[in-house]
C-alpha cells in the first residue's frame, strides 16, 4: 500500500487534512521551500498517534510543523510526511491563573487570552510569530524573558504514541533548546502559570514591545526571525554590523539593513540563497572577530 492510501485510511475525522506535494513556501514565514511529499493535519490525538506509528513502522520520515516561523525548507522540498499542528490543535483558554493552549495556537493569541483575563507574565511573547509547540521546542524568548519562566507543564506524545505529562524540569529547557526534539516528542498542549495583573498595564506593556519590534525589526519582509543564536558574551547582530555586512545580498536573500541579525527574503529568495548568505556572514564574522555564529533557524529537507 502506498503512502497516499495509508494516510487516507488513517485521517478520517472531521478537521483532518491530507494533501500531497504541498508547497512549503505557503507554510513558512520565510515564504521559501519546495513541496512536502505529504502534508497532513490529524484531527485528534488518536489520529496523530496512528500517523506517527505508521511512519515509524514503514520507515517513512516525518516532521512536525507549527507556524513555520523558525524554519528554512529546502528548495527540493521534504520527503515523507509533514505533520501540521493546525485546525483542532489551535485553542487557548484560562482556568484561574493558568492558560491551557493547544500546540498549534499562536503565541500572540495566547497572550491576548492572558490580556482578556487580566493575567500578566506573557507580554514578552505577544509579538513572537510562533506556535505554542514551536515555542516549547526552542524555549522561545524575547525582552528578558522566555517560555520556561511561565510554563507549568506540557502534554507530549512519544514516537510510540504514548501521551506524557511533563514538568518544566523534565522538558530540560535551556537557551533556545529543550529535550523535545532529541527524545522525539510531539507537543500536544501546554499549561502556562501566570499571575493576576492590571489589564491596562498589561496592554500598555504589549503595545510598548510591539512598537519596539516595529522600530527595530524588518517586519515588512518575510524572514525566520533571528537568524543566529546569541554567542556567549556577544550579540550576533552587533558582530554582523561591526563587519559591515548590513545589506549584503545573495539572490533574493539579504542581511537586513534595519537589523543585522535578520536575513530577509527581499523577493524570490531560495533556500540556496539564504544558506549561501549565511555561510558568507559566518565566515566573515569568524575571520574578523574570532566568534563563531551558530544558525538558530532550523533547516528542513
Amino acid at each position: 500500500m502506498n503512502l497516499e492510501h495509508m494516510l487516507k485510511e488513517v485521517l478520517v475525522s472531521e478537521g483532518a487534512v491530507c494533501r500531497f506535494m504541498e508547497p512549503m513556501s505557503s507554510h513558512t514565514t520565510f515564504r521559501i521551500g519546495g513541496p512536502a511529499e505529504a502534508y497532513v493535519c490529524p484531527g485528534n490525538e488518536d489520529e496523530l498517534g496512528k500517523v506517527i506509528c505508521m511512519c515509524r513502522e514503514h520507515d517513512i520520515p516525518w516532521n512536525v510543523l507549527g507556524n513555520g516561523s523558525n524554519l528554512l525548507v529546502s528548495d527540493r522540498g521534504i520527503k515523507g510526511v509533514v505533520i501540521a499542528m493546525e485546525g483542532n490543535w489551535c485553542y487557548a483558554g484560562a482556568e484561574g491563573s493558568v492558560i491551557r493552549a493547544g500546540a498549534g495556537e499562536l503565541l500572540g493569541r495566547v497572550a491576548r487570552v492572558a490580556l482578556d483575563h487580566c493575567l500578566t507574565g506573557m507580554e514578552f511573547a505577544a509579538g513572537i510569530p510562533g506556535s505554542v509547540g514551536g515555542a516549547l521546542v526552542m524555549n522561545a524568548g524575547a525582552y528578558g524573558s522566555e517560555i520556561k519562566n511561565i510554563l507549568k507543564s506540557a502534554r507530549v506524545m512519544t514516537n510510540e504514541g504514548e501521551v506524557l505529562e511533563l514538568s518544566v524540569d523534565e522538558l530540560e529547557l535551556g537557551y533556545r533548546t529543550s529535550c523535545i526534539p532529541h527524545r522525539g516528542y510531539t507537543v500536544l498542549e501546554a499549561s502556562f502559570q501566570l499571575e493576576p495583573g492590571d489589564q491596562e498595564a498589561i496592554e500598555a506593556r504589549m503595545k510598548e514591545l510591539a512598537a519596539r519590534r516595529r522600530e527595530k525589526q524588518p517586519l515588512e519582509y518575510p524572514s525566520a526571525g533571528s537568524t543566529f543564536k546569541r554567542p556567549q558574551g556577544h550579540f550576533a547582530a552587533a558582530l554582523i554590523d561591526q563587519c559591515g555586512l548590513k545589506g549584503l545580498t545573495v539572490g533574493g536573500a539579504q542581511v537586513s539593513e534595519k537589523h543585522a541579525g535578520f536575513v530577509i527574503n527581499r523577493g524570490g529568495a531560495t533556500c540556496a540563497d539564504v544558506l549561501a548568505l549565511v555561510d558568507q556572514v559566518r565566515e566573515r564574522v569568524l575571520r574578523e572577530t574570532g566568534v563563531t555564529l551558530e544558525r538558530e533557524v532550523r533547516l528542513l529537507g
Side-chain angles (χ1 to χ4, degrees):
M1 187 179 295
N2 64 26
L3 178 59
E4 181 173 351
H5 287 144
M6 287 190 291
L7 287 171
K8 287 186 174 179
E9 280 195 352
V10 171
L11 299 166
V12 296
S13 71
E14 185 176 350
V17 171
C18 185
R19 297 196 290 268
F20 299 90
M21 299 309 292
E22 177 77 3
M24 291 304 296
S25 57
S26 300
H27 300 284
T28 65
T29 57
F30 233 146
R31 297 293 178 257
I32 292 172
E37 184 178 356
Y39 180 93
V40 305
C41 175
N44 52 50
E45 290 182 10
D46 180 60
E47 287 185 346
L48 174 62
K50 287 178 178 177
V51 170
I52 290 174
C53 290
M54 180 202 77
C55 289
R56 182 168 51 83
E57 290 170 6
H58 293 274
D59 200 26
I60 299 167
W62 81 92
N63 292 277
V64 180
L65 178 73
N67 193 45
S69 59
N70 191 50
L71 195 62
L72 177 62
V73 175
S74 166
D75 300 318
R76 297 187 301 273
I78 304 172
K79 183 175 175 57
V81 178
V82 170
I83 300 174
M85 305 301 281
E86 56 186 44
N88 293 344
W89 303 95
C90 301
Y91 60 87
E95 300 171 359
S97 58
V98 175
I99 291 182
R100 291 174 57 249
E105 187 61 284
L106 295 179
L107 284 179
R109 291 177 185 161
V110 181
R112 176 58 59 176
V113 170
L115 171 64
D116 291 343
H117 288 81
C118 303
L119 297 174
T120 185
M122 203 156 191
E123 293 88 331
F124 77 94
I128 297 176
S131 66
V132 167
L136 266 63
V137 168
M138 66 175 297
N139 185 28
Y143 300 110
S145 193
E146 54 192 353
I147 288 296
K148 76 173 183 179
N149 296 338
I150 58 172
L151 186 66
K152 180 181 180 182
S153 63
R155 292 177 67 250
V156 303
M157 182 175 287
T158 69
N159 284 349
E160 288 72 40
E162 181 184 4
V163 175
L164 306 175
E165 179 97 20
L166 301 178
S167 68
V168 176
D169 290 342
E170 288 174 310
L171 290 167
E172 300 175 18
L173 301 176
Y175 175 65
R176 301 300 177 264
T177 186
S178 72
C179 72
I180 294 168
H182 310 303
R183 297 187 181 176
Y185 294 153
T186 299
V187 178
L188 306 175
E189 182 182 84
S191 294
F192 300 101
Q193 179 66 64
L194 305 179
E195 299 295 332
D198 178 76
Q199 191 172 49
E200 289 186 2
I202 295 169
E203 186 170 26
R205 177 61 172 163
M206 289 170 64
K207 287 181 177 178
E208 175 199 347
L209 295 182
R212 288 169 64 179
R213 278 192 172 88
R214 286 193 301 270
E215 178 187 356
K216 296 181 179 180
Q217 298 180 10
L219 303 181
E220 63 272 28
Y221 291 103
S223 79
S226 297
T227 306
F228 301 99
K229 294 182 179 180
R230 185 178 67 239
Q232 188 170 5
H234 301 275
F235 291 97
L239 293 172
I240 296 167
D241 194 8
Q242 175 186 326
C243 294
L245 297 174
K246 272 187 175 179
L248 181 65
T249 301
V250 173
Q254 182 186 65
V255 176
S256 170
E257 296 174 306
K258 191 173 186 180
H259 190 308
F262 284 64
V263 169
I264 60 174
N265 181 354
R266 291 276 304 187
T270 64
C271 177
D273 292 340
V274 173
L275 292 178
L277 181 57
V278 165
D279 285 346
Q280 287 189 32
V281 170
R282 294 181 75 247
E283 291 169 7
R284 181 89 162 265
V285 169
L286 178 60
R287 184 170 69 247
E288 297 191 14
T289 71
V291 178
T292 299
L293 294 180
E294 183 181 352
R295 193 181 68 233
E296 181 173 315
V297 177
R298 178 186 171 207
L299 179 61
L300 191 60

